[in-house]
């Protein structure tokens, strides 16, 4: 009998498993070994500090972000007093799983199938990767951290089958030294309807490799062709492709994260990827931590309502950031004209400073009210077309 079975071994599931094991709970983590999520791999200093990530996991430290508009306008934003850490999910996720196992979590490699309660106790049924046989784990609680198309969410939690998501695709390539438009010390974000009609494309350096990809909610978009075009535009067509990956990325936290009985969701399964930016690693790990906190509280008190703590704790700290980012996406990702205006707005020094202070610290910066006022007025001017898109 386990106290908690965690379904999923990505950043969210591995974090939850480690936290639970360190707190003395008997925990099993079911990981679908071999799956690598498509991801730009950007992590902020806040994540590195909060989750004790060693330097050897960072493949690069990026100090400049470049925003590129539909007309090719380029805005370089220096990351003052900080950096964006870049990780490779193939290595980073496994590091987190190994650390959870070292903390005491029982790692199982396999694919989650279903939850059964017919015998009077809760059982998680999964297919063991090595033998191909179905296995059962008895448990008191379950954390569903099995991704954007979560089987746990769909079967156990109201609204789990209706999470909006972007389909993301990227290619990990052997990265050259600085060549063409590629700079190994800069993250490029491309806002161009020819690459993505409703999201963006990216070129993110990972040291000896790079992630080149894009995402879209629009059905029928040729993700592979858009990525090929992106590589060509940056002089990266001839670089060797190491692997190709695609997966959904959710864009809205679910209204409910638990089933009021024995299941709580975490990470992508709960929809906690930041709108507009698509940033997910930090929020996934926070989601895993609050799910572990809620599970521990429930086990200690015997009150199933304590499972609701996961969403309450997360939204207390991040609701406003998600609301602002969702407003930005709704306002600026609708057309190339809007995207052009968004990149133009990024010329503003106040926008640059507040954006990266918020990114690195993971909270809205309130210290400069006049800067917020100026940004609000400029934002309004662009959205109402009072200024041309070329205005800076």
């Amino acid at each position: 009998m386990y106290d908690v079975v965690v379904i999923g071994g990505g950043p969210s599931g591995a974090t939850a498993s480690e936290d639970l094991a360190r707190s003395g709970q008997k925990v099993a983590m079911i990981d679908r070994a071999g799956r690598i999520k498509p991801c730009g791999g950007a992590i902020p200093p806040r994540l590195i500090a909060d989750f004790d990530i060693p330097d050897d996991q960072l493949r690069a430290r990026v100090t400049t972000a470049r925003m590129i508009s539909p007309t090719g306008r380029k805005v370089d934003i220096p990351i003052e007093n900080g950096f964006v850490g870049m990780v490779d999910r193939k290595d980073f996720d496994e590091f987190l799983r190994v650390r959870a196992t070292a903390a005491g979590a029982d790692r199982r490699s396999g694919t989650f199938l279903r939850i059964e309660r017919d015998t009077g106790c809760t059982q998680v049924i999964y297919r063991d990767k090595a033998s191909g046989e179905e296995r059962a784990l008895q448990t008191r609680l379950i954390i569903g951290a099995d991704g954007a198309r979560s089987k746990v969410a769909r079967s156990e939690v109201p609204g789990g089958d209706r999470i909006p998501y972007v389909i993301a695709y990227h290619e990990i390539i052997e990265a050259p030294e600085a060549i063409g438009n590629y700079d190994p010390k800069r993250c490029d974000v491309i806002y161009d309807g020819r690459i993505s009609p409703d999201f963006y494309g990216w070129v993110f350096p990972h040291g000896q490799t790079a992630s080149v990809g894009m995402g879209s909610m629009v059905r029928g978009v040729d993700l592979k062709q858009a990525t090929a075009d992106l590589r060509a535009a940056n002089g990266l067509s001839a670089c060797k492709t190491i692997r190709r990956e695609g997966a959904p990325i959710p864009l809205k936290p679910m209204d409910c994260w638990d089933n009021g009985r024995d299941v709580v969701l975490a990470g992508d399964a709960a929809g906690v990827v930041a709108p507009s930016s698509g940033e997910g690693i930090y929020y996934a790990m926070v989601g895993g931590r609050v799910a572990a906190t809620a599970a521990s509280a429930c086990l200690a008190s015997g009150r199933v309502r304590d499972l609701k703590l996961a969403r309450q704790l997360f939204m207390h700290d991040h609701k406003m950031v998600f609301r602002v980012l969702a407003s930005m996406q709704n306002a600026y990702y609708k057309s190339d004209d809007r995207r052009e205006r968004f990149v133009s707005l990024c010329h503003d020094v106040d926008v640059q400073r507040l954006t990266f202070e918020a990114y690195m610290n993971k909270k809205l910066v309130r210290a400069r009210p006049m800067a917020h006022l100026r940004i609000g007025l400029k934002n309004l001017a662009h959205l109402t077309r009072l200024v041309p898109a070329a205005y800076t």
Side-chain angles (χ1 to χ4, degrees), residues 45-232:
R46 173 78 183 269
L47 182 153
I48 296 168
D50 286 359
F51 296 96
D52 193 24
I53 304 302
D55 285 346
D56 62 12
Q57 284 299 312
L58 300 184
R59 298 294 175 255
R61 292 172 180 252
V62 171
T63 55
T64 303
R66 170 172 286 183
M67 309 298 176
I68 303 174
S69 78
T71 62
R73 177 204 309 272
K74 299 178 178 65
V75 178
D76 286 355
I77 304 177
I79 304 170
E80 298 178 354
N81 305 315
F83 62 93
V84 176
M86 307 303 299
V87 299
D88 188 321
R89 291 291 296 272
K90 174 177 67 69
D91 304 317
F92 183 71
D93 289 17
E94 181 62 13
F95 161 77
L96 295 176
R97 289 189 286 266
V98 169
R99 190 164 71 173
T101 304
D106 180 7
R107 179 177 177 180
R108 305 293 186 98
S109 293
T111 302
F112 166 71
L113 298 176
R114 61 190 179 275
I115 297 170
E116 292 184 353
R117 301 182 180 89
D118 297 340
T119 59
C121 65
T122 301
Q123 293 189 109
V124 174
I125 312 300
Y126 73 99
R127 189 175 302 283
D128 180 68
K129 183 178 181 180
S131 67
E133 298 176 352
E134 287 193 13
R135 303 249 173 109
L137 301 177
Q138 292 187 19
T139 185
R140 297 171 67 188
L141 296 175
I142 297 165
I143 292 178
D146 52 334
R149 289 174 174 163
S150 166
K151 287 185 178 180
V152 179
R154 290 201 302 269
S155 64
E156 295 288 333
V157 179
D161 58 344
R162 299 190 300 275
I163 303 176
Y165 55 81
V166 162
I167 296 295
Y169 172 81
H170 79 156
E171 297 176 358
I172 297 293
I173 64 172
E174 285 187 355
E177 297 298 322
I179 184 174
N181 292 325
Y182 177 74
D183 185 335
K185 295 183 179 180
R186 187 188 69 225
C187 286
D188 289 1
V189 184
I190 300 90
Y191 298 98
D192 187 340
R194 291 167 295 185
I195 298 299
S196 171
D198 59 333
F199 205 56
Y200 63 82
W202 67 81
V203 179
F204 286 0
H206 290 174
Q208 295 182 345
T209 63
S211 165
V212 184
M214 51 79 68
S216 177
M217 293 181 70
V218 179
R219 293 188 178 185
V221 171
D222 191 334
L223 282 71
K224 292 184 178 180
Q225 184 58 53
T227 301
D229 294 342
L230 194 52
R231 287 179 63 167

Side-chain angles (χ1 to χ4, degrees), residues 10-13 15 37-44 47 51 87 89 92-93 96 199-200 204 248-251 266-269 271-288 314 322 325 359 362:
S12 185
T15 299
K37 181 182 176 181
C39 177
I43 62 172
L47 182 153
F51 296 96
V87 299
R89 291 291 296 272
F92 183 71
D93 289 17
L96 295 176
F199 205 56
Y200 63 82
F204 286 0
I249 298 176
L251 291 179
D268 282 12
V272 292
V273 175
S276 179
S277 68
E279 183 191 356
I281 301 176
Y282 172 78
Y283 295 112
M285 295 179 74
V286 171
F314 185 95
F322 272 56
L325 291 175
Y359 171 78
K362 288 295 165 250

Side-chain angles (χ1 to χ4, degrees), residues 67 69 73 75 191 339-347:
M67 309 298 176
S69 78
R73 177 204 309 272
V75 178
Y191 298 98
R339 283 184 276 269
E340 193 74 38
R341 291 174 181 279
F342 175 69
V343 174
S344 182
L345 188 63
C346 290
H347 275 287

Side-chain angles (χ1 to χ4, degrees), residues 14 23 29 38 67 125 159 178 240 258 260-261 269 272 276 316-317 341 347 350 377:
S23 68
M29 174 180 65
M67 309 298 176
I125 312 300
K240 180 181 178 181
D258 69 278
R261 181 177 183 179
V272 292
S276 179
H316 177 272
D317 289 341
R341 291 174 181 279
H347 275 287
D350 289 326
L377 292 173

